[in-house]
């Protein structure tokens, strides 16, 4: 099983650690990768991650040899515990999924970047404009992951190019 795979399976939609573990195992079989973007959603309205179920799933999947990219909030205590259980990459939200609000909790995101200076940190969720992505990069984040800002725009191709330009400048 290679970690050089270009596909990053995702457990989006899972609400329990058990669901996320089962989906991760199926994804490993299908895509021949140990990589998994681990999402365990705790609230249907905000789509906020369930930190308790996320930590449980991380513990289990780490023992199974997965490279975990955890979708989490900007809570440094939760992030520290995820890293302690073998998480490889932290993916804190900038703001709730699909909200397009940008980086709402700057203090916590800045502290997270400082505390986890040697860890890959990717802003995942809430990015709505190229300027938001640029700001995340200015704060020292390694990347941004987005969907709604491009997929729901009137011109997805040009919006994607605008984001590319924002983070490459």
């Amino acid at each position: 099983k290679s970690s050089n795979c270009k596909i990053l399976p995702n457990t989006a939609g899972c609400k329990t650690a058990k669901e996320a573990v089962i989906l991760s195992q199926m994804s490993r079989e299908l895509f021949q990768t140990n990589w998994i973007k681990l999402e365990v959603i705790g609230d249907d309205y905000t789509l906020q991650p369930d930190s308790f179920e996320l930590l449980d799933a991380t513990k289990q999947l780490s023992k199974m040899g997965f490279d975990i990219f955890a979708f989490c909030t900007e809570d440094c205590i939760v992030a520290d515990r995820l890293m302690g259980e073998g998480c490889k990459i932290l993916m804190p939200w900038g703001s709730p999924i699909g909200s397009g609000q940008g980086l709402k909790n700057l203090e916590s995101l800045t502290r997270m970047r400082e505390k986890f200076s040697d860890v890959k940190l990717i802003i995942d969720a809430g990015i709505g404009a190229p300027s938001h992505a640029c700001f995340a990069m200015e704060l020292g984040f390694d990347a941004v992951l987005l969907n709604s800002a491009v997929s729901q725009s009137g011109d997805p191709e040009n919006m994607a190019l605008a984001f590319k330009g924002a983070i490459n400048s």
Side-chain angles (χ1 to χ4, degrees), residues 36-147:
I36 193 73
K37 179 183 174 207
L38 186 58
E39 285 189 48
V40 184
I41 300 301
D43 182 70
D44 288 335
Y45 180 70
T46 64
L47 302 177
Q48 180 173 336
D50 181 326
S51 298
F52 304 103
E53 292 292 316
L54 180 64
L55 186 58
D56 184 16
T58 299
K59 287 178 187 178
Q60 292 180 54
L61 293 170
S62 266
K63 290 176 185 170
M64 295 177 196
F66 281 89
D67 293 330
I68 300 162
F69 302 30
F71 173 63
C72 56
T73 64
E74 67 282 3
D75 184 319
C76 283
I77 295 169
V78 171
D80 195 46
R81 293 195 179 157
L82 288 167
M83 296 305 297
E85 292 298 338
C87 182
K88 301 291 183 192
I89 294 177
L90 294 168
M91 302 178 77
W93 65 354
S95 56
I97 294 172
S99 71
Q101 297 177 62
L103 308 180
K104 295 306 285 179
N105 195 339
L106 291 177
E107 178 67 23
S108 292
L109 289 168
T110 299
R111 296 232 183 248
M112 180 178 259
R113 176 70 284 176
E114 291 169 356
K115 180 174 174 105
F116 299 99
S117 60
D118 295 333
V119 175
K120 294 281 185 205
L121 294 180
I122 300 170
I123 294 291
D124 179 12
I127 299 294
S131 59
H132 299 157
C134 185
F135 189 47
M137 302 305 280
E138 289 173 359
L139 290 178
F141 284 83
D142 297 290
V144 296
L145 184 68
L146 51 96
N147 177 12

